[in-house]
Amino acid sequence: MKFAYRFSNLLGAVYRHGNLSFSKDGNSVISPVGNRVSVFDLKNNKSETLPVSTAKNITCVGLSPDGNLAILVDEDGAALLISLITRAVLHHFHFHKPVASIRFSPDGRKFVVTKENVALMYHAPGRNREFNAFVLDKSYYGPYDETTFTGPPRTCFMCFVVGSKDMSTWVFGAERWSNLIYYSLGGHKDIMVGCFFEKDSLDLYTVSQDGTLCVWESDTELDGLVLRKTRLPAERGEEERGEGEEEEPRGEVIRGKGERPKEKQGTKNVRYKQRSKHFFNKEGDFNNLTAAAFHKPTHILVTGFASGIFHLHELPEFNLIHSLSISDQRIATVSMNSSGDWIGFGCSGLGQLLVWEWQSESYVFKQQGHFNNMAALAYSPDGQYIATGGDDGKVKVWNMTSGLCFVTFTEHTSSVTNVTFTSRGFVIVSASLDGTVRAFDLHRYRNFRTFTSPRPAQFSSLAVDPSGDLVSAGAQDSFEVFIWSMQTGRLLEVLGGHEGPVSCLCFSPVQSILASASWDKTVRLWDMMDSWQTTETLRLTSDGLAVSYRPDGQELAVATLDGEISFWNPQSANQTGSVSGRHDLEMGRKETDKITSKQSAKGKSFTSLCYSADGESILAGGQSKFVCIYNIREQILMKKFEISCNLSLDAMEEFLDRRKMTEFGSLALVDEGVGDGDGVELSLPGVRKGDMSSRHFKPEIRVSSIRFSPTGRSWAATSTEGLLTYSLDGALVFDPYDLDLDVTPASVRRQLRQAEWATAIVLAFRLNETALTQEVLEAVPHHQIAVVCGSLPDVYVEKLLGFIASALERCGHLQFYLSWSQSLLTQHGQKLKTRSGAVLPTIQSLQKSIQKHFEDLSKLCDWNMYTIRYAVALSKQRGVKRTAGDALCDKDQSEDSEVMSEASLEETDMLM
């Protein structure tokens, strides 16, 4: 059970490359992140990464109109058909060429794929089982250069529009229309970025990269399209095929030409004329237009530019509604939800994902990952938060429940090398290469302490003692360890003695002992209570890279440069065991390596270590795509986790690809710039666009930091892909306890009917089925909970506590399960205290669940309290007004009665 971890979520990255898509209801946005896809629920403020991945980075995503299916296409054209309901892969397909865009028809029966200079129409998979889910229907040729964009098809899918790099726009008929086979439009002087149909019309809007908008008017209405009954020979593919065109397996072939199709007798071909032409750059230079989206019901056009500015225009009048700068990087993609209220933006340069509500001019969602590598991570003591530090100098804090970042600290001016939480969990301490160690307060979200050294030093390691009073950091240039006081911020001591850079620091969980690993092949143990003296010096076989204490403080693990993990007794300074993990790393061969992967693996090693919560196993990661779990007692490898299968990263494959080898060497050695790239301005003299100093390179896969959750139910690793979390999946493993032939679900329910609650609970735990155990617990009457807890055997108390901790996370019976936990801890607290080391992960998991509910309920109660106060104040104010009004009304009534009485007297006098 303890090794049944599965991929849970991807944090630290929200967008990389490709197009954004909104769900059918418009409340969720689907974002490609590397070779995975993340779904962000904007209503509930949660994120989820689907458990599917492609071979390379995803470039485009096609979402079906009903929101049940999605097609993911990677850089090479390999496609996956996935179900967004079951999160499963339904079909694999390969388009053999890079795909520019993919769009479903409004009815979901077909979809259009553009690649190179051809548009392919496929029958979309339906509910019936098919041997081949993608069946080619038609092939459309026309553009002379690569296609860049497929416009959203008509509502009734009569035709669709394709933009190309040859500055032309092509309108193709989806059916066999006699008056609309194809139509070519010009009028632009740059690459096409977007082309859109008007609602319930054949009128067109086309947008090009130079910031030009053309409005095209058709002389034919939708009901004017005439269906042709016969097929032309050219459309049956009977004419000769052009050079270099691949032979399609099936389907009609429609070839557009430079001249217009000939008109038949009785039918008039569809014609377009340019109604108007508008320019985005007339009020200033906004660089190149990079993305566009159009919402048909509201007639709103959204355009994004390379400078990070976006515009909202109302068409066809081209009235500017809104303009805002949301980033200093290029806007790579723009998307609008079904209602047209929310606009999604993706910036690949910084990894930003933004959702903007244009009517209220506010952010609905704003997330940004580390746009450079993540170097370190740390769990909070309750396992609810994760802090990460990256090479971009930022410290981010992520909520494990929602998977989102809720605070970012930007005070560091250089790479962050290490982060850690204090024992109370309200303070984050980070070390950086800028020569500072900073402490951040999670209550006020501010940097309240900055620790510095007497002379400038680059800090590469960090540790905080269990009490949270001492902060230590190791320098990689002066070979010293610095000790500060958290309370005063003053430097207390400088520990010298290492003859090489200090690579890692770790405090003992139970004593004031600091362990420091160094490149000088030693680990020194420093006593913080005895004049900062060295108590022991452990001699290693190679340079020390990582050191970690067991949770009970009785063992020390050290990773060295030769790929070994050695275990030491810190009291006697004796080595108790070692594990050779060099062969378990299985490092791949980089494209620029001159030696094989087997030879390069000899120089690789583990760079991060972490004990499990129970101390029985250790997690190790380093310069590889694998993370290994070792059993310490048996000193054997228990399981290997593959962090990534993304071939877009370097060092993923064991052998070089022969297709990339030429007579001059590997194509990877060719230095390519991006001078004609995305049009980002730069300060180099004489360069008008593009970054001539930038180079294409593949980031190398590696694991920089790895940590176990204090609850023992999950672990996380920072890698080139981002922050990956793995959690226990109890549903995948059948793990009974003390199973017998008489232990069956029927016997458990029989005990329930006989009101034998304690026996039923014991049998349910022996069978160890989650659903059955929950059914038994919820069947126990509330007034019997204390009696049942008192009669439970001791061995089942810890199991029941663990089950309650997990049930509190997903169930809504808050008071019921809190009563169970209170009774268990009250009656068995002393016995559990004697086994605190083994029970600690379970208690921390329970504390995490209770803390989460406490925060949610406290916010709700505060809101309700403020609402009640407002209602009471409002009622009092209205009561005062009503009282004054009643008095005024009584006064008016008395005056009226006096006037009426006087009038009656006058009338009687007149009658007299």
Side-chain angles (χ1 to χ4, degrees):
M1 180 76 176
K2 66 180 69 175
F3 300 112
Y5 293 94
R6 64 179 178 88
F7 174 76
S8 174
N9 206 350
L10 173 63
L11 288 73
V14 293
Y15 173 76
R16 290 280 175 81
H17 184 66
N19 62 298
L20 298 177
S21 301
F22 278 94
S23 60
K24 181 182 179 181
D25 57 3
N27 296 332
S28 300
V29 62
I30 301 172
S31 171
V33 184
N35 67 332
R36 299 181 184 270
V37 172
S38 295
V39 181
F40 297 93
D41 189 346
L42 305 179
K43 287 288 187 180
N44 300 318
N45 201 32
K46 288 186 177 181
S47 72
E48 178 190 6
T49 303
L50 303 185
V52 296
S53 58
T54 57
K56 289 192 174 182
N57 288 336
I58 297 173
T59 56
C60 53
V61 178
L63 191 64
S64 62
D66 57 4
N68 296 335
L69 298 177
I71 300 177
L72 315 178
V73 187
D74 66 6
E75 296 172 347
D76 291 343
L80 293 180
L81 174 67
I82 64 171
S83 169
L84 295 178
I85 299 177
T86 63
R87 270 57 173 162
V89 178
L90 304 179
H91 185 64
H92 293 260
F93 192 79
H94 209 300
F95 292 106
H96 302 292
K97 295 291 182 181
V99 173
S101 62
I102 182 169
R103 295 274 184 170
F104 272 87
S105 64
D107 56 4
R109 292 186 172 184
K110 297 181 181 180
F111 64 90
V112 178
V113 175
T114 59
K115 65 173 186 178
E116 294 186 321
N117 65 335
V118 60
L120 305 174
M121 183 187 297
Y122 287 87
H123 290 283
R127 296 184 178 180
N128 299 327
R129 293 187 176 183
E130 299 170 336
F131 177 74
N132 185 11
F134 294 172
V135 179
L136 182 64
D137 184 25
K138 297 181 182 69
S139 301
Y140 298 88
Y141 291 89
Y144 294 96
D145 204 343
E146 294 182 9
T147 54
T148 58
F149 189 83
T150 303
R154 292 284 330 124
T155 306
C156 48
F157 197 45
M158 295 182 174
C159 52
F160 63 94
V161 60
V162 176
S164 174
K165 286 186 178 180
D166 62 2
M167 300 173 287
S168 65
T169 305
W170 291 76
V171 182
F172 293 106
E175 301 293 341
R176 303 172 191 163
W177 309 118
S178 60
N179 55 344
L180 180 58
I181 303 174
Y182 61 87
Y183 199 96
S184 177
L185 300 172
H188 288 278
K189 298 180 180 179
D190 209 339
I191 297 173
M192 302 302 301
V193 175
C195 35
F196 314 96
F197 278 109
E198 182 59 272
K199 183 180 181 181
D200 299 329
S201 173
L202 291 177
D203 295 347
L204 268 178
Y205 302 107
T206 57
V207 183
S208 61
Q209 189 172 319
D210 60 353
T212 303
L213 169 69
C214 291
V215 182
W216 303 90
E217 185 178 6
S218 173
D219 62 351
T220 307
E221 298 296 331
L222 287 177
D223 53 4
L225 295 177
V226 181
L227 193 63
R228 187 176 67 250
K229 297 181 180 179
T230 59
R231 292 165 54 185
L232 298 176
E235 295 172 4
R236 290 193 294 264
E238 295 178 359
E239 293 186 353
E240 68 272 8
R241 184 173 282 102
E243 293 184 6
E245 295 177 5
E246 296 182 0
E247 184 177 356
E248 298 294 341
R250 280 181 300 183
E252 300 180 15
V253 178
I254 297 176
R255 302 183 184 280
K257 300 179 181 179
E259 63 274 5
R260 297 171 182 169
K262 296 180 180 180
E263 296 182 357
K264 293 185 178 181
Q265 294 181 356
T267 60
K268 182 181 179 182
N269 286 347
V270 176
R271 296 178 183 273
Y272 282 91
K273 68 176 181 179
Q274 185 174 313
R275 185 199 303 177
S276 58
K277 195 171 187 178
H278 307 279
F279 300 93
F280 291 92
N281 293 348
K282 61 182 180 181
E283 297 180 359
D285 187 13
F286 295 107
N287 297 311
N288 289 344
L289 192 150
T290 55
F294 179 66
H295 191 251
K296 295 179 183 179
T298 57
H299 305 281
I300 291 179
L301 175 69
V302 186
T303 51
F305 294 84
S307 58
I309 299 175
F310 78 90
H311 290 175
L312 264 71
H313 286 86
E314 185 181 7
L315 299 182
E317 291 82 8
F318 197 67
N319 297 325
L320 180 63
I321 300 175
H322 189 64
S323 179
L324 185 70
S325 176
I326 59 174
S327 175
D328 57 354
Q329 294 288 325
R330 169 182 179 266
I331 297 178
T333 179
V334 175
S335 180
M336 297 187 72
N337 68 343
S338 54
S339 63
D341 298 329
W342 293 348
I343 308 171
F345 300 96
C347 302
S348 57
L350 296 177
Q352 290 177 319
L353 177 59
L354 309 163
V355 179
W356 175 265
E357 188 174 18
W358 64 273
Q359 292 179 338
S360 64
E361 298 185 5
S362 60
Y363 284 110
V364 178
F365 185 83
K366 185 178 182 181
Q367 288 286 302
Q368 176 181 342
H370 293 276
F371 59 85
N372 280 336
N373 294 330
M374 279 189 287
L377 76 97
Y379 270 98
S380 62
D382 59 0
Q384 195 169 351
Y385 305 116
I386 284 184
T388 58
D391 290 345
D392 54 0
K394 295 180 180 179
V395 176
K396 290 179 174 288
V397 188
W398 306 82
N399 189 315
M400 288 298 295
T401 305
S402 65
L404 302 177
C405 173
F406 64 91
V407 63
T408 301
F409 301 105
T410 59
E411 280 77 7
H412 284 295
T413 58
S414 187
S415 300
V416 177
T417 56
N418 213 324
V419 293
T420 186
F421 277 88
T422 58
S423 56
R424 294 187 178 182
F426 301 123
V427 176
I428 297 175
V429 186
S430 61
S432 174
L433 295 180
D434 61 1
T436 63
V437 174
R438 298 179 183 268
F440 303 97
D441 184 5
L442 286 185
H443 285 306
R444 298 177 179 85
Y445 299 143
R446 63 185 181 93
N447 175 210
F448 71 94
R449 286 282 186 273
T450 301
F451 309 101
T452 58
S453 57
R455 52 184 178 276
Q458 291 184 319
F459 299 116
S460 58
S461 54
L462 176 71
V464 178
D465 76 322
S467 65
D469 296 332
L470 298 179
V471 178
S472 63
Q476 65 180 13
D477 46 5
S478 62
F479 312 156
E480 295 171 332
V481 178
F482 298 87
I483 308 293
W484 295 274
S485 170
M486 178 70 78
Q487 297 294 331
T488 63
R490 298 180 59 184
L491 180 65
L492 300 178
E493 188 67 27
V494 179
L495 307 180
H498 282 295
E499 299 175 358
V502 180
S503 56
C504 189
L505 296 175
C506 184
F507 269 101
S508 171
V510 295
Q511 295 176 324
S512 295
I513 301 295
L514 175 66
S516 60
S518 173
W519 291 8
D520 60 2
K521 301 182 181 181
T522 62
V523 171
R524 292 178 179 265
L525 304 182
W526 312 83
D527 191 350
M528 299 290 102
M529 305 299 293
D530 187 12
S531 303
W532 324 98
Q533 293 183 359
T534 304
T535 59
E536 297 290 348
T537 301
L538 310 181
R539 300 293 177 181
L540 306 176
T541 58
S542 186
D543 299 1
L545 300 180
V547 61
S548 178
Y549 266 101
R550 202 167 65 183
D552 60 0
Q554 301 302 312
E555 190 176 71
L556 193 69
V558 183
T560 53
L561 190 61
D562 56 1
E564 287 193 358
I565 303 174
S566 56
F567 303 97
W568 300 77
N569 187 331
Q571 280 75 29
S572 62
N574 295 326
Q575 184 174 349
T576 59
S578 66
V579 173
S580 179
R582 173 164 290 173
H583 299 290
D584 300 326
L585 284 170
E586 292 188 19
M587 184 66 182
R589 180 172 180 175
K590 294 192 291 185
E591 293 183 343
T592 56
D593 280 350
K594 302 296 185 181
I595 57 176
T596 62
S597 60
K598 188 175 181 180
Q599 292 294 326
S600 63
K602 295 181 179 180
K604 306 301 179 182
S605 57
F606 293 115
T607 57
S608 181
L609 295 177
C610 183
Y611 275 92
S612 61
D614 56 7
E616 295 181 1
S617 56
I618 193 167
L619 205 61
Q623 301 167 328
S624 172
K625 62 179 179 179
F626 291 104
V627 170
C628 305
I629 290 187
Y630 293 96
N631 185 287
I632 299 175
R633 181 180 301 175
E634 304 294 336
Q635 298 182 6
I636 58 174
L637 176 68
M638 300 299 296
K639 190 169 183 179
K640 289 170 62 175
F641 296 93
E642 188 176 8
I643 291 295
S644 175
C645 59
N646 190 359
L647 297 180
S648 296
L649 303 175
D650 205 0
M652 288 294 298
E653 296 181 287
E654 186 177 357
F655 302 102
L656 289 180
D657 191 351
R658 294 182 179 273
R659 292 171 294 183
K660 296 181 181 179
M661 300 299 295
T662 64
E663 57 179 331
F664 304 105
S666 175
L667 291 176
L669 299 176
V670 178
D671 194 12
E672 296 182 359
V674 289
D676 298 328
D678 302 326
V680 180
E681 289 188 357
L682 74 165
S683 58
L684 290 180
V687 179
R688 301 187 61 181
K689 66 176 183 177
D691 188 354
M692 305 299 291
S693 63
S694 178
R695 293 293 178 265
H696 292 290
F697 70 95
K698 280 186 175 183
E700 182 182 352
I701 182 68
R702 64 174 58 210
V703 177
S704 55
S705 182
I706 195 165
R707 289 292 181 270
F708 247 108
S709 171
T711 62
R713 299 193 59 83
S714 63
W715 57 271
T718 55
S719 68
T720 314
E721 286 275 83
L723 174 60
L724 299 118
T725 60
Y726 288 76
S727 60
L728 279 174
D729 185 14
L732 296 178
V733 179
F734 176 64
D735 186 20
Y737 176 79
D738 195 16
L739 193 61
D740 199 358
L741 292 176
D742 297 332
V743 182
T744 61
S747 62
V748 174
R749 293 185 175 93
R750 189 184 312 116
Q751 296 295 329
L752 281 180
R753 289 192 295 268
Q754 297 174 2
E756 297 289 341
W757 314 118
T759 308
I761 291 175
V762 170
L763 292 177
F765 274 111
R766 288 176 65 182
L767 197 60
N768 206 7
E769 289 187 4
T770 304
L772 183 61
T773 307
Q774 184 173 349
E775 177 187 347
V776 171
L777 283 180
E778 294 179 359
V780 178
H782 187 269
H783 63 276
Q784 292 287 331
I785 291 178
V787 179
V788 173
C789 290
S791 59
L792 273 180
D794 295 342
V795 70
Y796 292 100
V797 172
E798 184 181 348
K799 291 181 177 293
L800 183 55
L801 268 179
F803 181 84
I804 291 173
S806 60
L808 272 173
E809 294 182 0
R810 61 179 187 273
C811 293
H813 308 297
L814 181 58
Q815 183 182 359
F816 181 74
Y817 283 109
L818 284 179
S819 301
W820 275 103
S821 58
Q822 183 181 9
S823 299
L824 286 173
L825 293 176
T826 302
Q827 299 185 30
H828 301 274
Q830 292 297 328
K831 296 179 182 179
L832 292 175
K833 193 174 181 180
T834 59
R835 298 185 295 109
S836 58
V839 185
L840 183 60
T842 304
I843 300 298
Q844 287 178 331
S845 179
L846 182 63
Q847 180 188 0
K848 173 186 174 183
S849 303
I850 296 175
Q851 181 69 23
K852 176 181 177 297
H853 285 291
F854 172 75
E855 292 178 357
D856 295 341
L857 283 177
S858 61
K859 292 178 182 178
L860 182 62
C861 292
D862 290 343
W863 175 260
N864 291 339
M865 185 174 62
Y866 298 145
T867 306
I868 292 173
R869 288 180 181 175
Y870 174 74
V872 171
L874 195 63
S875 63
K876 289 181 179 179
Q877 186 178 4
R878 289 183 177 178
V880 172
K881 290 182 178 179
R882 188 180 296 110
T883 305
D886 293 343
L888 185 62
C889 184
D890 294 340
K891 183 179 179 181
D892 293 340
Q893 288 179 358
S894 63
E895 291 177 355
D896 292 343
S897 62
E898 292 177 359
V899 172
M900 291 179 65
S901 62
E902 292 176 357
S904 62
L905 289 173
E906 291 177 357
E907 289 179 357
T908 54
D909 292 340
M910 291 176 64
L911 291 174
M912 292 295 292

